[in-house]
Amino acid sequence: MSDSGPGPSSASAVMAGPLPTKKAPLNIAEMKKKVLLGDLPADFLRLTVPQQQQQQPAQPGQPQQPQQHAVPAGFDPATGGLSAMESFYTFVPPHTRGRIAVRITEAKLTKNYGLVRMDPYCRVRVGNAIFETPTSVSGAKTPKWNRIVNAYLPNGVESIYVQIFDERAFTQDECIAWAHVLLPEGIFNGETIDEWYPLSGQQGEGKEGLINLVISFAPVDAPVQNPPQLMANVEGQQTPEGPLYTDEEVKELNEMFPNIDVEVIRSVLDEKRGDKDGTVTALLEMAG
């Protein structure tokens, strides 16, 4: 009788099959050869047209396709590739008298409001545009900003309004001083006026301290006004623009805030587009 137990041949039949292959180790030297070293090519990240498309002539009877050009990275079609400052000096809004530059240098305040040293910042209104300086941390009664504000001066605007706020961490910022500055005539003759202007506040009219402003002006050419068809509404009719407020409303607000100049009240009404409630809120902040 032969042995019926499993022999070596049967064991090899059970174990037959491909063994799992081992992963080849990473060859760092070979991988480094595939990395591009050195300066990037000039056309890197640029949209270019293949050479054969540029030289392909138009077939008779077919419209010629417009050529495509390389578009530099960072190109903004909204501004024509101009920077923010270049765009500011290129576009002139309508009804503009010129460009005004106001350097808010520093202030000398009468009182430090609060339990700790104040952190003052300055807010300047030119027409309907409002600008703010950075905060003079722990500036207290002698804050220094040395910040220039460039703005367009609308026609008919003869003054600017300056406010100084104390920045608060846990409560609303407090308006501690303000000034209504009439633009000196010298700036319209090419002069640069460096002057200290009195500040008003809780201490009284002109008794809150002084602020140093350096003001200059540059006229601009009259911009092309919008054609009448662009000012029409959907029905093709001109949209009349009536007064935003009446003299009676200005008089009523002046009686409510007798310490605030009438021109300041009018400028706030213009900014709020005649909104009486919003104007009262803004005047309350100015009055402290």
Side-chain angles (χ1 to χ4, degrees):
M1 294 178 64
S2 61
D3 189 3
S4 61
S9 59
S10 62
S12 60
V14 174
M15 299 298 294
L19 296 176
T21 58
K22 295 182 178 180
K23 292 184 178 179
L26 295 177
N27 193 335
I28 303 300
E30 292 296 331
M31 295 181 64
K32 286 184 177 180
K33 293 180 181 179
K34 299 180 181 180
V35 178
L36 179 61
L37 301 178
D39 296 334
L40 294 174
D43 59 348
F44 183 70
L45 291 181
R46 290 178 181 266
L47 302 177
T48 56
V49 181
Q51 189 70 18
Q52 58 181 0
Q53 293 184 8
Q54 292 181 351
Q55 297 179 354
Q56 182 178 0
Q59 299 294 332
Q62 295 182 357
Q64 186 176 1
Q65 298 294 332
Q67 290 186 350
Q68 299 180 4
H69 303 278
V71 180
F75 179 83
D76 185 4
T79 60
L82 300 175
S83 64
M85 183 60 68
E86 291 173 338
S87 178
F88 172 79
Y89 284 104
T90 302
F91 172 74
V92 179
H95 311 294
T96 297
R97 186 176 183 181
R99 301 186 185 95
I100 187 173
V102 182
R103 180 189 291 273
I104 305 105
T105 308
E106 59 179 324
K108 297 179 180 178
L109 304 175
T110 303
K111 183 179 178 180
N112 184 90
Y113 294 93
L115 301 178
V116 296
R117 293 172 63 87
M118 295 188 299
D119 299 328
Y121 65 90
C122 192
R123 180 180 296 173
V124 181
R125 180 186 291 111
V126 181
N128 293 328
I130 298 178
F131 307 87
E132 287 186 358
T133 68
T135 301
S136 178
V137 180
S138 299
K141 296 193 299 182
T142 57
K144 293 178 174 60
W145 301 287
N146 199 29
R147 179 56 59 96
I148 298 178
V149 168
N150 293 292
Y152 288 112
L153 184 66
N155 290 331
V157 175
E158 302 292 341
S159 62
I160 60 176
Y161 191 68
V162 181
Q163 294 173 283
I164 297 179
F165 287 83
D166 178 22
E167 187 177 63
R168 303 293 178 85
F170 302 104
T171 59
Q172 186 177 4
D173 297 349
E174 180 183 0
C175 180
I176 56 178
W178 60 84
H180 182 215
V181 179
L182 296 177
L183 296 177
E185 288 295 331
I187 66 172
F188 302 111
N189 299 323
E191 301 179 17
T192 299
I193 305 299
D194 186 345
E195 189 63 67
W196 290 84
Y197 297 92
L199 294 167
S200 302
Q202 297 183 19
Q203 302 299 317
E205 186 75 20
K207 297 181 180 180
E208 201 63 54
L210 299 170
I211 186 170
N212 181 221
L213 303 178
V214 182
I215 308 175
S216 61
F217 175 82
V220 295
D221 297 332
V224 178
Q225 302 296 332
N226 294 329
Q229 60 269 21
L230 296 182
M231 301 298 293
N233 56 19
V234 178
E235 290 78 9
Q237 300 177 355
Q238 296 290 332
T239 303
E241 183 177 354
L244 299 176
Y245 52 87
T246 62
D247 293 338
E248 292 296 330
E249 293 176 333
V250 175
K251 183 179 179 181
E252 181 180 354
L253 290 172
N254 190 24
E255 293 175 355
M256 296 173 59
F257 302 95
N259 295 328
I260 298 180
D261 191 80
V262 176
E263 292 301 323
V264 176
I265 296 177
R266 290 183 180 275
S267 65
V268 177
L269 279 169
D270 290 335
E271 179 189 353
K272 299 298 182 181
R273 305 296 299 171
D275 183 7
K276 191 173 180 181
D277 293 337
T279 302
V280 171
T281 302
L283 294 176
L284 285 172
E285 294 179 359
M286 296 180 188

